[in-house]
Amino acid sequence: MLAPVGCVVSQSGTPGAETWAALKRQPPRIVLVDVPTTELVKSIDALADALRGRRIPIVALVENEDAAAIALEHGARAALRKPVRPDELLSTFRRLARRGGADPGPVEKPA
């Protein structure tokens, strides 16, 4: 759904070495997080730490309203309920991209 509109998609579970290397090589304009609710806080916190000081929004795909609230409290700029409609996802990406893309500064794996 995302590749045809110019998005580069990296399939990874929780942020691991491959994810950090990809973030460092080419900082994204937006990060999409789609993990089980049990991994949501850990994933968003790690990404928020790695992206601190950069204007790279995190969008979380969530299973319910409680998970959406948690995602937003931990730094996600948007939380979309699954199953997400393609038009809703793309409009969220466009809205966030208009508000400012990635700061090209270095991305470091959090300690």
Side-chain angles (χ1 to χ4, degrees):
M1 165 174 46
L2 296 173
V5 294
C7 296
V8 176
V9 178
S10 170
Q11 295 183 5
S12 179
T14 56
E18 181 180 317
T19 302
W20 300 122
L23 287 173
K24 197 170 191 174
R25 276 192 312 275
Q26 184 176 7
R29 292 181 69 193
I30 297 172
V31 173
L32 178 65
V33 176
D34 183 9
V35 295
T37 301
T38 56
E39 296 292 321
L40 190 61
V41 170
K42 178 180 161 183
S43 296
I44 291 175
D45 284 351
L47 284 164
D49 283 345
L51 302 173
R52 190 171 315 285
R54 293 161 187 84
R55 295 179 324 230
I56 302 173
I58 298 170
V59 176
L61 300 183
V62 297
E63 297 172 8
N64 56 52
E65 293 303 315
D66 290 340
I70 290 168
L72 295 170
E73 287 173 10
H74 283 267
R77 294 276 299 279
L80 304 175
R81 188 125 183 234
K82 294 190 258 186
V84 64
R85 293 185 337 264
D87 61 326
E88 180 183 20
L89 182 60
L90 293 175
S91 70
T92 299
F93 278 12
R94 287 182 185 118
R95 176 178 52 84
L96 292 171
R98 278 194 306 270
R99 291 185 179 171
D103 176 343
V107 175
E108 299 297 330
K109 181 177 177 181

